[in-house]
Amino acid sequence: MKMQVTYMFMIAVCDDEIRECLHLSKQIQTILEQLNIPHIIKQYNSGRQLLQAQEHFDIIFLDIMMRDIDGMKTAELFRQNMFDKILIFVSSSRQYVFDTFAFEAFEYLLKPIDEQKLRRTLLRCVSKASRHSEDYIIVSKDRQTRKLFLDEIRYFEIRGRLIEAHGKNPAFSWYEQIGTLENMLSDKDFFRCHKSYLLNLKYVDVYNKTEAILDNGEKILIAKRRYESFCTAILEYMRKNGGITAL
């Protein structure tokens, strides 16, 4: 399992030519390592694989001429759900450059890709993505790596040896001790209101001595011995953000 709160860039490289996909991934990795920029690179050999991926990517390198689903169709489907991600098209031909404007392409790179141009492009990408970065954790289970944005998590729940993240996206679970996660998020407006729950105070609408009611109507238990500390945490959160009512 990997967890961190400093920003790590999630990058996808999609090309149906396996050697081309591997080569570009290695080029990107070499440059980012030289720049000491934390990153994870995932490789996909079809547009369908990319569209089915569960990861939240910051930067996507997308080949245009692919079998099955080409780069243009992949970009069209991708943009239906991911409006703010950086799309970089890759092609051996210039003929599609104007077509990519419809998908808000960040850059259009010609194969073979020039190392210096790729370096400049990555620096621009990192600069843009960093301005819009959010706190998150990186977790892994069964060879699947997931970026979980803290702002989207309502609460973490302990289930046996698993921690399950509940939020705006489908629940995701991984192996970890909730105490470790609690310590990591101690300054991120999360509070351990019960032995089984680590709660994002942002989503608490109302609360009483036994439970917190979230914005979606879910009820989270508050342990009796944690209630006073919970009230203190809520009051501190209200000073910064406002908007919570005690019953």
Side-chain angles (χ1 to χ4, degrees):
M1 191 209 76
K2 301 176 183 177
M3 298 174 58
Q4 69 179 71
V5 181
T6 54
Y7 204 84
M8 178 178 290
F9 291 92
M10 295 288 289
I11 300 170
V13 178
C14 184
D15 193 319
D16 63 346
E17 296 293 337
I18 296 176
R19 289 185 179 179
E20 294 276 356
C21 188
L22 179 60
H23 179 64
L24 177 54
S25 298
K26 287 185 175 179
Q27 284 182 295
I28 295 168
Q29 180 179 355
T30 298
I31 292 171
L32 293 180
E33 286 178 350
Q34 291 172 350
L35 296 171
N36 197 30
I37 295 173
H39 63 279
I40 292 176
I41 301 173
K42 296 283 187 176
Q43 299 176 35
Y44 300 94
N45 297 127
S46 74
R48 194 178 304 278
Q49 285 183 3
L50 175 63
L51 292 169
Q52 292 174 346
Q54 298 297 314
E55 286 83 359
H56 292 267
F57 293 108
D58 301 293
I59 306 167
I60 299 94
F61 287 81
L62 185 59
D63 185 45
I64 292 179
M65 299 301 293
M66 293 191 295
R67 297 177 289 273
D68 189 16
I69 304 177
D70 65 26
M72 294 297 187
K73 185 61 176 180
T74 301
E76 178 185 347
L77 295 172
F78 187 84
R79 279 294 189 224
Q80 290 178 8
N81 297 313
M82 298 290 183
F83 305 103
D84 59 340
K85 305 307 177 183
I86 297 175
L87 277 180
I88 298 171
F89 286 93
V90 179
S91 178
S92 56
S93 171
R94 296 179 181 272
Q95 73 179 90
Y96 304 103
V97 62
F98 295 110
D99 296 329
T100 64
F101 291 169
F103 309 110
E104 299 184 28
F106 186 80
E107 184 61 89
Y108 191 101
L109 298 176
L110 283 173
K111 297 180 180 180
I113 298 175
D114 178 75
E115 291 277 354
Q116 290 304 313
K117 184 167 185 179
L118 178 59
R119 184 185 182 91
R120 290 194 297 270
T121 298
L122 284 169
L123 283 170
R124 290 169 53 223
C125 288
V126 168
S127 177
K128 178 179 179 180
S130 296
R131 291 196 296 271
H132 301 285
S133 65
E134 302 174 52
D135 288 330
Y136 63 88
I137 57 176
I138 297 285
V139 298
S140 299
K141 181 190 174 190
D142 299 332
R143 298 183 180 180
Q144 183 182 28
T145 301
R146 182 75 66 88
K147 178 189 286 186
L148 301 178
F149 287 94
L150 299 182
D151 193 55
E152 298 177 357
I153 302 298
R154 287 186 171 88
Y155 62 94
F156 296 97
E157 180 181 8
I158 187 71
R159 290 178 175 268
R161 295 172 53 217
L162 289 170
I163 288 181
E164 191 168 82
H166 298 265
K168 296 181 179 180
N169 295 311
F172 183 79
S173 59
W174 73 99
Y175 294 101
E176 183 53 76
Q177 295 181 356
I178 197 167
T180 301
L181 184 61
E182 179 186 8
N183 290 334
M184 289 190 63
L185 304 182
S186 60
D187 61 344
K188 302 296 180 182
D189 294 326
F190 279 80
F191 183 82
R192 182 86 174 275
C193 60
H194 186 275
K195 65 179 181 180
S196 298
Y197 298 105
L198 183 60
L199 180 61
N200 188 343
L201 299 177
K202 169 184 174 179
Y203 291 102
V204 178
D205 270 354
V206 296
Y207 67 93
N208 55 42
K209 290 186 176 182
T210 60
E211 63 187 16
I213 302 174
L214 308 187
D215 65 328
N216 63 349
E218 285 190 82
K219 297 179 179 180
I220 304 298
L221 292 175
I222 300 176
K224 183 177 180 180
R225 66 185 182 86
R226 300 176 190 265
Y227 179 70
E228 288 188 10
S229 297
F230 176 79
C231 290
T232 300
I234 281 288
L235 289 173
E236 179 60 29
Y237 181 86
M238 289 176 64
R239 289 191 190 99
K240 294 187 296 182
N241 303 281
I244 298 172
T245 303
L247 297 179

